[in-house]
């Protein structure tokens, strides 16, 4: 992270929203705490929000409980955790899919995602589970997840993820992400700071890896 361009994109004192998902990722609490500490050292004011679509029973309390189950609590992370379901519309894609973003994330000075890149259990493509899927579906909360999955039956999930992801990028709120790759034994294999400009490309390359 220290070698990444992220800090230069947020003014000192700016609020940074760190999106964390609902998957059981090895060392996730240690990794997220590292991201929080990075932003603090850069003079920003980070907070964490659940980026998990409809998981956690699609409730604000349930999503906060999912994070707590993985050791991601305000006390352990040293920053606020803001779990709520209100979203902001980011307009529609060319296919007519309305894109959404968690309101607290949208009102921040920049959004960073922390997530694992891996294959998906339900569909195959050059982009499956990763930062792009998290950006498209995770930060859209329950409102987005409902719509995206409905379009997924018609267009295929990879197309929905790419299309909605590009629409979310047009908001100018996304800074990039920290991609996590695991080895065959579910141990942390690689961490990569991915700037927003190359998120789609790096998701493809990391999935292939």
């Amino acid at each position: 992270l220290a070698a990444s361009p992220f800090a230069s994109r947020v003014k000192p004192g700016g609020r940074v929203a760190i999106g964390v998902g609902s998957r059981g990722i090895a060392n996730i609490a240690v990794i997220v705490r590292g991201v929080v500490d990075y932003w603090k050292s850069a003079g920003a004011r980070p907070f964490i929000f659940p980026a998990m679509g409809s998981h956690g029973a699609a409730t604000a309390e349930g999503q906060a409980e999912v994070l707590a189950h993985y050791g991601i609590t305000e006390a352990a992370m040293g920053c606020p955790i803001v779990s709520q379901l209100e979203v902001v519309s980011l307009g529609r894609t060319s296919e007519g899919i309305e894109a959404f973003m968690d309101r607290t994330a949208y009102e921040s000075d920049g959004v960073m995602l922390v997530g694992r890149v891996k294959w998906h259990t339900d569909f195959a493509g050059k982009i499956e589970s990763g930062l792009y899927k998290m950006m498209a579906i995770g930060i859209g909360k329950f409102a987005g997840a409902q719509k995206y999955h409905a379009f997924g039956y018609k267009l295929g999930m990879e197309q929905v993820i790419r299309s909605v992801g590009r629409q979310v990028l047009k908001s100018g709120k996304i800074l990039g992400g920290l991609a996590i790759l695991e080895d065959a034994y579910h141990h942390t294999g690689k961490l990569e700071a991915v700037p927003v400009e190359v998120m789609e490309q790096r998701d493809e390359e990391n999935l292939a890896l």
Side-chain angles (χ1 to χ4, degrees):
L1 284 170
S4 76
F6 294 145
S8 64
R9 297 179 177 184
V10 177
K11 292 175 183 171
R15 294 179 72 243
V16 176
I18 302 170
V20 182
S22 52
R23 306 298 187 188
I25 299 172
N27 303 309
I28 188 63
V30 176
I31 293 168
V32 173
R33 177 64 197 242
V35 175
V36 170
D37 288 347
Y38 163 76
W39 282 112
K40 283 184 173 179
S41 70
R45 293 180 295 139
F47 68 92
I48 293 165
F49 73 100
M52 53 184 77
S54 57
H55 292 186
T59 68
E61 298 78 16
Q63 296 195 346
E65 285 168 11
V66 171
L67 292 182
H69 175 72
Y70 296 129
I72 298 171
T73 62
E74 293 192 353
M77 298 298 106
C79 77
I81 294 175
V82 183
S83 182
Q84 59 86 51
L85 298 182
E86 201 177 336
V87 293
V88 173
S89 174
L90 303 176
R92 294 179 184 273
T93 71
S94 58
E95 302 95 340
I97 312 169
E98 190 175 10
F100 297 94
M101 184 183 292
D102 177 295
R103 177 173 289 281
T104 51
Y106 183 80
E107 291 172 351
S108 74
D109 295 300
V111 180
M112 180 178 176
L113 302 169
V114 180
R116 179 175 55 190
V117 179
K118 64 182 284 291
W119 59 89
H120 194 279
T121 51
D122 295 333
F123 73 95
K126 288 187 176 178
I127 284 185
E128 295 181 31
S129 287
L131 296 177
Y132 229 70
K133 177 172 180 281
M134 203 170 176
M135 179 175 66
I137 297 175
I139 67 175
K141 314 301 271 195
F142 186 49
Q146 284 179 301
K147 282 187 165 58
Y148 306 153
H149 286 112
F151 272 96
Y153 291 116
K154 291 187 275 187
L155 302 172
M157 281 308 294
E158 181 181 5
Q159 178 61 30
V160 170
I161 287 168
R162 287 183 191 269
S163 183
V164 173
R166 290 167 186 164
Q167 188 68 25
V168 171
L169 285 181
K170 289 178 187 175
S171 71
K173 302 302 294 191
I174 306 294
L175 300 167
L178 186 68
I180 303 165
L181 278 75
E182 293 182 350
D183 65 18
Y185 300 97
H186 305 293
H187 299 145
T188 308
K190 175 187 172 186
L191 296 171
E192 181 186 16
V194 181
V196 64
E197 295 84 0
V198 293
M199 278 176 70
E200 192 166 356
Q201 171 195 341
R202 295 301 294 141
D203 249 13
E204 289 188 16
E205 292 167 355
N206 278 325
L207 180 63
L209 178 61

